[in-house]
Amino acid sequence: MADYLDDLRLAHVLADAADAATMSRFKALDLKVETKPDMTPVSEADKAAEELIRGHLQRARPRDAVLGEEYGIEGTGPRRWVIDPIDGTKNYVRGVPVWATLISLMEAAEGGFRPVVGVVSAPALGRRWWAAQDHGAFTGRSLTSASRLKVSGVSRLSDASFAYSSLTGWDDQGRLGGFLDLTREVWRTRAYGDFWPYMMVAEGSVDLCAEPELSLWDMAANAIIVTEAGGTFTGLDGRPGPHSGNAAASNGVLHDEFLGYLNQRY
């Protein structure tokens, strides 16, 4: 059985390199920002970080495929690295420190590729989270200085903390009514956004989070970290893993009830 620890160590090396590149341009007055065809921003730091990671992977894992937000898919085979060089680019370009580099290794399995390694590195927050299949999830400054992650034991929605990114997209899918009903039922709601609520689910400080529209690179690393922390990560359709184009993550205990609200249609 593969233990993926060499791949996890490599993912940390990749994250270290990306952190150095992204932090060197964070809050730079001359940062170049463009608008992509989907009307989302991309900065020179997004491109530089992904190019850096791809270069490292080409040398260290030349047989593996790479899928990144900025430069698409390269290579084929049963192993695929999935990269979001800056998750939270809108925060990055405005000087908000809530952004991260997301790095995941996915392997071919029955039913499609599944994440087996994930690293989420948020250098402006001074935080990093990671996981490898069957080895648990951790947070800390390094592999040797880390604390194990475990989801909460909250068992009632009325005691639960629910995090999301924004209201955008829920109405388009006819899910806004159920979403709002859920916000009235839970103990607390906060729009932390992007990678952060998934990491808080893994830490046990938040119990539920969901987003209606996502890409694979937004979810792969988050999914393995949440599940290795004992939680549940699915699409809004209940399909396990990061393949549904949207996401719902929870401590597991509340997941079915949680999805019931988000799938109400008005």
Side-chain angles (χ1 to χ4, degrees), residues 192 251 256:
Y192 298 109
N251 64 2
D256 290 344

Side-chain angles (χ1 to χ4, degrees), residues 165-181:
S165 284
S166 72
L167 294 178
T168 306
W170 295 103
D171 197 24
D172 295 343
Q173 297 185 8
R175 300 180 191 269
L176 184 59
F179 175 91
L180 293 174
D181 283 349

